[in-house]
Amino acid sequence: MTANLRTGSDFARLSRRVSEAGLLDRRPGYYVFRIGLVATLFVGGWITFFAIGDSWWQLGIAVFQAVMFGQIALLSHDLAHRQVFRTRRPSEIAGRIAGNLGVGMSYGWWMDKHTRHHANPNHEDLDPDVDPDILVWSKEQARASKGLPRFIGRYQAFLFFPLLTLEGLNLHFSGIRAVWKPGLRRRGLEAALLLTHFALYFSALLVVLSPGKALAFFIVHKALWGVYMGSIFAPNHKGMPILSGDTELDFLRKQVLTSRNVRGGRVVDVALGGLNYQIEHHLFPSMPSPHLRRARPIVQEYCAEIGVPYHETGLLESYALALRSLHEAGEPIRLSSGSPAETPAGRR
């Protein structure tokens, strides 16, 4: 087993099987259709917004656009992984249009963060997605926590979904901070596109809606977009093993053992943008998302052959596992303060 952990041959054999099945080939027709459909619905939503005018019915448009912002963010994700274009330049151009201009999220900031996550998923020291900035993801982080993470950590499983209502704003502010500081590639362009997005967004709200309705639209839209984005990414790694320090795991095991797939039909595939096949996505990040479903049985069979656990659950179960993991991670904080240890998903 030790020898297998230190060789890349297992992944090389799997990669050949996947490549021979044609699953690494580009799908231009699929992405032309998907981008066209999402763009049409997004623009149609804003046309309907202007047609309705100053009405409380606009809250329905806020809900619709929260979903569309999530779908555009998923397209930006595929572009960043070069699933659409083979080369960097067209991927970056389209990614900045979708991310910065479309939803007000810095493409360059997010790509840097997400690249580091893919290199070391669920690693306490190397994966920015498990930084204990607000939530703690392990008992070790809980013991070392101070300030806000320690305060929230007591009941973070109960607070997780309410906190996601702020995730949309967090994506905006993180992008703004990134372009404010030196170091971001094409910083001026990213800043200009973000500024254009916010100018158009707030102008539309203030021109069409009364101040009260504009505020209500903003709150509903951003809150639901945040919940949607968090609900897409929460099932993928939360509740899976947390790594720390040096690890002997090879690429295949590092990606498979820290990831979880979510079972479901086409509706789940569309809602989660194919990221419900998280194991396949982490093994082959540039694989077009419609191929992930077809790669799943190949990867699952291969993992069984070499004795690597392949974790897959239903959608609701994945959320329960994520919440249970958060609750368990916060246990040291509760014990130190004498708080009860009841889990939101029930006792284990």
Side-chain angles (χ1 to χ4, degrees):
M1 182 67 174
T2 302
N4 281 338
L5 293 177
R6 295 179 178 177
T7 178
S9 61
D10 285 336
F11 175 71
R13 286 193 290 271
L14 172 61
S15 184
R16 282 195 294 271
R17 294 188 189 184
V18 169
S19 180
E20 288 169 0
L23 300 181
L24 298 179
D25 297 342
R26 291 295 185 271
R27 288 287 301 274
Y30 164 82
Y31 278 108
V32 166
F33 172 78
R34 181 177 166 188
I35 292 171
L37 177 61
V38 171
T40 299
L41 291 173
F42 176 70
V43 172
W46 286 116
I47 292 174
T48 305
F49 171 86
F50 284 102
I52 292 174
D54 188 20
S55 167
W56 287 109
W57 287 107
Q58 294 284 19
L59 296 185
I61 301 299
V63 174
F64 175 79
Q65 290 293 30
V67 175
M68 296 316 301
F69 267 48
Q71 286 294 313
I72 292 172
L74 287 169
L75 276 173
S76 184
H77 168 272
D78 286 11
L79 288 161
H81 281 295
R82 300 191 193 178
Q83 295 177 19
V84 184
F85 304 105
R86 291 185 182 277
T87 57
R88 186 176 70 180
R89 182 171 175 77
S91 298
E92 288 184 346
I93 292 172
R96 289 191 177 99
I97 292 172
N100 294 59
L101 185 61
V103 299
M105 180 181 71
S106 168
Y107 173 84
W109 161 79
W110 180 86
M111 184 173 180
D112 173 73
K113 174 177 176 287
H114 196 62
T115 299
R116 288 185 284 128
H117 158 72
H118 265 264
N120 292 282
N122 267 23
H123 193 290
E124 281 187 315
D125 306 315
L126 303 174
D127 183 357
D129 287 354
V130 292
D131 280 345
D133 49 355
I134 295 180
L135 303 176
V136 293
W137 305 102
S138 69
K139 291 182 178 180
E140 290 71 21
Q141 289 182 347
R143 294 186 186 99
S145 65
K146 297 179 182 178
L148 186 60
R150 188 166 188 84
F151 175 76
I152 292 178
R154 292 180 176 86
Y155 305 108
Q156 61 183 12
F158 297 94
L159 296 173
F160 179 69
F161 280 103
L163 285 172
L164 286 182
T165 60
L166 302 175
E167 178 60 18
L169 295 178
N170 177 55
L171 292 172
H172 289 322
F173 289 135
S174 295
I176 292 170
R177 284 197 302 267
V179 300
W180 190 261
K181 299 177 182 178
L184 183 69
R185 190 170 180 273
R186 303 302 299 272
R187 178 183 168 205
L189 175 60
E190 294 234 1
L193 291 172
L194 285 176
L195 181 61
T196 302
H197 167 85
F198 292 124
L200 292 173
Y201 180 85
F202 287 113
S203 294
L205 264 59
L206 295 175
V207 167
V208 174
L209 303 176
S210 65
K213 293 187 183 74
L215 179 61
F217 184 101
F218 177 83
I219 292 173
V220 170
H221 178 220
K222 299 305 178 184
L224 293 183
W225 179 44
V227 171
Y228 183 31
M229 292 297 290
S231 298
I232 291 171
F233 290 95
N236 300 337
H237 302 281
K238 310 314 178 192
M240 298 304 290
I242 299 286
L243 307 178
S244 61
D246 295 330
T247 175
E248 291 186 336
L249 295 177
D250 66 355
F251 175 79
L252 183 145
R253 287 164 177 82
K254 181 164 59 174
Q255 303 299 337
V256 174
L257 296 178
T258 59
S259 303
R260 178 196 298 116
N261 274 17
V262 175
R263 290 189 297 268
R266 297 294 182 181
V267 173
V268 173
D269 288 2
V270 171
L272 301 188
L275 296 182
N276 44 314
Y277 304 105
Q278 189 67 193
I279 294 173
E280 289 72 28
H281 171 60
H282 260 257
L283 288 170
F284 304 99
S286 63
M287 178 183 290
S289 58
H291 286 172
L292 295 170
R293 170 187 281 270
R294 293 170 54 196
R296 173 187 165 275
I298 298 174
V299 175
Q300 191 174 34
E301 179 183 1
Y302 185 76
C303 286
E305 288 178 17
I306 63 176
V308 174
Y310 182 101
H311 196 189
E312 188 175 67
T313 69
L315 182 60
L316 295 181
E317 185 182 358
S318 72
Y319 292 137
L321 290 170
L323 293 176
R324 186 175 297 142
S325 173
L326 282 169
H327 191 75
E328 291 173 352
E331 183 180 27
I333 302 174
R334 292 191 300 277
L335 291 177
S336 67
S337 61
S339 301
E342 195 75 28
T343 95
R347 289 187 182 274
R348 294 193 70 185

